[in-house]
């Protein structure tokens, strides 16, 4: 089958994971042991230096045939100190939007992708009611970046943000902890405020949820429902009045009567330790559609692997699941692969998710065959 006309084909990134030198963010501080939190394996450092090389990155995506690029703007650069707005950072991100448009890439801009300014976290972060208003003021300051942007994501994976708000929890590998309920409430309030501002500026607002494909074993349906309620459903329900919702899917979580089940020994695992399970995106799309009832974009989906053939196989399986959802009548409007580049996987550079590799010394880009492959799918608007 062919995908619907105008279906977006893209790749996604996040500022902290590729820009480099994000020194005023709480993640940078965490990497250097200056903030409480689970220790990380290695710091992000210069990352892929995409803060300076974004044009080159966009060139590669556009030339391959992709039609969209999702990236995040960095709160810690726009407001490196409380009350201060960096006009230079705003201009930088405006140039990025223009660069995407010049290359025929529909920009999808994320306002918050896990990282906060260090002042925000030092003052208590999302554990204070004031956080909602502080986020709103940041979004107001960032509105000039959004002038020529249609698709705006307010908060990336609020369910993960709620989990990460607990300083003793690192980036979880398998099975998502429940999150902090008061933080979840504040994130929903912050999202609502941002949706209003984005719409006021003429954009279409949504947020992107980490869907976990909770699959109950026979008899464990209630456990799975309870499990998914605070970790996924509450965030999808909150998207019901939005312009769209983003699904971010990587693997599944099988649930038994006593909770999540371990990954079977004989299952293939990816470099993050997750089960290789391309169909997960179908579970995520269906749950998002059922609960939010608004157009769905797959805003992240991919695999950490050193074997690019497995990336193509995984993505083929995932796109077949997207096709099945479309055939069922779900309004899926785009597929944005995670990730455009190998990147800083929240503590380590080891898990490689990218369609493009790069040299750690010279930053020279090396597109992988999977980029050309995804580009050809995009040009054809159909799987081979
Ligand atoms: C996040 C990304 C992350 C990816 C793979 C998502 O949770 O939005 O920042 O790199 O999954 O773990």
């Amino acid at each position: 089958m062919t995908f619907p006309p105008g279906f977006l084909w893209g790749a996604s990134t996040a500022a902290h994971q590729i820009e480099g030198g994000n020194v005023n963010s709480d993640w940078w501080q965490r990497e250097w042991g200056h903030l409480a939190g689970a220790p990380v394996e290695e710091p992000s450092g210069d990352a892929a230096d995409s803060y300076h090389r974004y044009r080159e990155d966009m060139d590669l995506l556009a030339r391959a045939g992709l039609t969209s690029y999702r990236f995040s703007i960095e709160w810690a650069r726009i407001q490196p100190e409380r009350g201060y707005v960096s006009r230079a950072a705003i201009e930088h991100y405006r140039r990025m939007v223009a660069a995407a448009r010049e290359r025929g890439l529909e920009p999808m801009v994320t306002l918050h992708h896990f990282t906060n300014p260090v002042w925000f976290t030092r003052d208590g972060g999302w554990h204070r009611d004031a956080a909602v208003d502080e986020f709103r003021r940041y979004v107001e300051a960032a509105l000039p970046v959004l002038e020529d942007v249609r698709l705006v994501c307010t908060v990336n994976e609020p369910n993960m943000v709620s989990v990460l708000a607990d300083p003793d929890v690192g980036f979880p590998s398998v099975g998502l902890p429940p999150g902090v309920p008061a933080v979840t409430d504040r994130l929903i309030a912050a999202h609502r405020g941002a949706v209003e501002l984005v719409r006021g500026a003429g954009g279409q607002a949504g947020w992107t949820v980490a869907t976990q494909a909770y699959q109950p074993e026979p008899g464990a349906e209630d456990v799975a429902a309870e499990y998914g309620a605070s970790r996924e459903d509450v965030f999808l329900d909150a998207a019901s009045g939005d312009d769209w919702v983003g699904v971010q899917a990587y693997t599944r979580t099988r649930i038994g009567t006593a909770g999540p089940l371990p990954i079977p020994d004989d299952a293939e695992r990816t470099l993050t330790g997750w089960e290789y399970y391309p169909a997960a995106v179908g579970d995520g799309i269906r749950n998002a559609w059922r609960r939010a009832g608004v157009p769905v974009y797959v805003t992240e989906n991919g695999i950490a692997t050193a074997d690019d053939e497995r990336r193509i196989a995984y993505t083929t399986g995932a796109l077949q699941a997207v096709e099945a959802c479309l055939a069922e009548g779900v309004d899926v409007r785009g597929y944005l692969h995670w990730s455009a580049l190998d990147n800083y996987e929240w503590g380590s550079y080891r898990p490689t998710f990218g369609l493009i590799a790069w040299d750690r010394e010279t930053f020279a880009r090396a597109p992988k065959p999977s980029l050309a492959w995804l580009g050809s799918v995009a040009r054809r608007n159909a799987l081979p």
Side-chain angles (χ1 to χ4, degrees):
M1 68 174 269
T2 51
F3 285 78
F7 192 84
L8 282 190
W9 292 98
S12 298
T13 57
H16 188 76
Q17 295 180 269
I18 59 163
E19 282 184 345
N22 190 18
V23 297
N24 294 313
S25 83
D26 57 356
W27 255 90
W28 181 280
Q29 299 291 325
R30 189 185 239 201
E31 291 159 23
W32 289 94
H34 303 321
L35 281 182
V40 300
E41 202 178 309
E42 62 180 319
S44 54
D46 285 324
D49 191 29
S50 288
Y51 194 78
H52 303 105
R53 292 165 200 265
Y54 63 89
R55 291 186 187 84
E56 205 180 322
D57 297 337
M58 292 185 197
D59 278 342
L60 290 170
L61 302 178
R63 280 188 205 135
L66 298 187
T67 56
S68 180
Y69 180 46
R70 171 175 177 242
F71 59 92
S72 73
I73 63 174
E74 185 58 56
W75 185 2
R77 290 191 196 271
I78 292 177
Q79 291 191 318
E81 291 289 346
R82 177 186 285 284
Y84 175 78
V85 176
S86 164
R87 288 198 306 270
I90 296 283
E91 279 311 307
H92 170 82
Y93 290 120
R94 283 170 60 88
R95 283 194 295 273
M96 280 189 75
V97 170
R101 288 256 175 250
E102 279 156 21
R103 288 160 179 77
L105 296 168
E106 174 82 44
M108 180 185 276
V109 173
T110 305
L111 302 175
H112 183 280
H113 195 123
F114 293 168
T115 46
N116 305 295
V118 70
W119 58 261
F120 173 86
T121 300
R122 274 211 190 110
D123 289 352
W126 293 102
H127 296 285
R128 304 154 305 139
D129 288 338
V132 175
D133 196 45
E134 288 164 1
F135 184 71
R136 185 184 176 92
R137 271 180 267 144
Y138 154 59
V139 178
E140 273 166 354
L143 286 178
V145 176
L146 306 179
E147 255 165 39
D148 199 20
V149 178
R150 181 168 64 90
L151 297 165
V152 179
C153 164
T154 61
V155 181
N156 176 73
E157 295 191 350
N159 39 353
M160 199 65 90
V161 178
S162 187
V163 167
L164 290 171
D166 179 343
D168 296 327
V169 177
F171 197 68
S173 55
V174 179
L176 198 58
V180 180
V183 170
T184 295
D185 292 345
R186 286 186 198 108
L187 288 166
I188 292 172
H191 170 63
R192 295 235 192 288
V195 168
E196 185 190 306
L197 289 169
V198 168
R199 283 184 175 157
Q204 297 176 9
W207 68 358
T208 60
V209 178
T211 56
Q212 304 287 312
Y214 294 112
Q215 297 183 350
E217 295 289 289
E221 289 78 7
D222 291 351
V223 184
E226 197 199 313
Y227 214 79
S230 70
R231 292 165 174 85
E232 177 169 323
D233 298 345
V234 64
F235 300 95
L236 294 173
D237 292 345
S240 61
D242 294 351
D243 300 307
W244 57 274
V245 65
V247 164
Q248 318 211 137
Y250 294 90
T251 188
R252 66 172 165 180
T253 314
R254 289 165 50 253
I255 305 279
T257 46
L261 297 169
I263 299 170
D265 289 341
D266 58 351
E268 179 179 344
R269 283 171 181 256
T270 69
L271 288 177
T272 41
W274 303 341
E275 182 186 356
Y276 176 96
Y277 188 73
V281 73
D283 297 49
I285 291 171
R286 289 186 187 95
N287 200 34
W289 179 244
R290 199 179 308 125
R291 303 204 73 99
V294 296
V296 177
Y297 289 86
V298 177
T299 41
E300 287 185 26
N301 172 253
I303 172 177
T305 177
D307 178 354
D308 203 47
E309 289 289 318
R310 289 313 277 158
R311 191 177 333 281
I312 293 173
Y314 178 92
T315 311
T316 302
L319 288 171
Q320 285 163 347
V322 175
E323 283 182 332
C325 293
L326 284 163
E328 289 162 25
V330 184
D331 185 2
V332 191
R333 305 224 173 146
Y335 174 88
L336 289 91
H337 190 82
W338 185 269
S339 179
L341 297 150
D342 288 339
N343 60 41
Y344 184 63
E345 180 59 18
W346 308 108
S348 158
Y349 281 101
R350 246 179 326 100
T352 41
F353 278 95
L355 300 167
I356 302 168
W358 46 278
D359 186 290
R360 289 288 295 272
E361 299 284 313
T362 65
F363 305 106
R365 274 34 181 173
K368 303 178 191 177
S370 51
L371 175 63
W373 176 84
L374 188 60
S376 71
V377 174
R379 287 182 204 277
R380 224 182 285 125
N381 205 28
L383 278 168

